[in-house]
């Protein structure tokens, strides 16, 4: 059974893989995530996820490397992680009372064969109107600072979300169903078989 490598330092992605009972190593890619913001969102996240996975896969031979990238999109604008509190406030002010989309690009590479698979998940999120005080208090909590779109749906920002259409885990940072589909196609084993295999090791 091929070892899994997560090419991301995101604690949320690690938590979601552990939720599936998977064993894996975390190896951050440290690649540039700079890309023209006029790039279509689906292409944007797939390109960045591919960069992460390829950079880490080049260091291994036989492991399956997982790369992911998540952005929030509002009115055609790509919102990544805020650079500071002021930008976080601006992002949340824009998202307040509006519906936006969350895109996560996912790339899996077999570092032994070089075979790779990639896809993108899209989830629609409706956010209720937020008061300036709510936004200020939330930003001061520090929670938004390493999150795309400046909010964590699995954290305090759960109070902001009116509805979600699509994969909830995609908004957290890793679309679990899509990941499981790609893993089975690439490795020939389901995530449940992987988890069971790791439990026996």
């Amino acid at each position: 059974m091929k070892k899994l490598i997560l090419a991301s330092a995101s604690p949320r992605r690690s938590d979601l893989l552990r939720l599936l009972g998977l064993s894996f190593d975390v190896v951050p890619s440290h690649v540039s995530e700079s890309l023209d913001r006029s790039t279509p969102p689906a292409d944007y996240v797939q390109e960045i996820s591919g960069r992460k996975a390829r950079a880490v896969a080049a260091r291994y031979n036989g492991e399956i490397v997982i790369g992911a990238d998540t952005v929030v999109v509002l009115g055609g604008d790509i919102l990544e992680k805020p650079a500071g509190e002021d930008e976080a406030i601006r992002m949340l002010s824009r998202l307040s009372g509006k519906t936006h989309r969350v895109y996560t690009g996912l790339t899996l590479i077999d570092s032994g064969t070089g075979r790779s698979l990639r896809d993108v998940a899209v989830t629609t999120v409706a956010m209720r109107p937020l008061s300036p005080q709510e936004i200020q208090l939330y930003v001061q909590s520090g929670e938004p600072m390493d999150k795309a779109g400046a909010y964590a749906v699995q954290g305090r920002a759960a109070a902001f979300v009116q509805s979600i259409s699509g994969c909830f885990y995609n908004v957290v940072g890793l679309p679990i169903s899509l990941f499981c589909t790609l893993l089975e196609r690439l490795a020939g084993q389901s995530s449940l078989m992987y988890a069971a295999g790791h439990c026996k090791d």
Side-chain angles (χ1 to χ4, degrees), residues 65-145:
V65 179
I66 306 156
D69 186 63
T70 302
V71 298
V72 167
V73 179
L74 177 67
D77 293 336
I78 292 175
L79 308 181
E80 293 189 322
K81 299 172 185 177
E85 289 190 356
D86 288 344
E87 187 174 16
I89 290 171
R90 287 195 295 272
M91 284 184 181
L92 289 165
S93 298
R94 290 188 62 190
L95 294 172
S96 173
K98 296 185 178 69
T99 297
H100 62 271
R101 290 184 173 180
V102 179
Y103 289 74
T104 296
L106 194 57
T107 300
L108 271 63
I109 298 177
D110 183 326
S111 63
T113 66
R115 183 178 176 225
S116 67
L117 295 173
R118 71 175 192 172
D119 208 337
V120 61
V122 185
T123 302
T124 301
V125 180
M127 192 171 285
R128 68 172 174 80
L130 308 175
S131 70
Q133 183 181 24
E134 282 181 299
I135 292 173
Q136 185 69 41
L137 288 171
Y138 180 60
V139 171
Q140 288 175 352
S141 76
E143 186 176 271
M145 303 317 300

Side-chain angles (χ1 to χ4, degrees), residues 143-157:
E143 186 176 271
M145 303 317 300
D146 63 341
K147 315 294 191 304
Y151 75 94
V153 69
Q154 77 281 12
R156 298 182 186 184

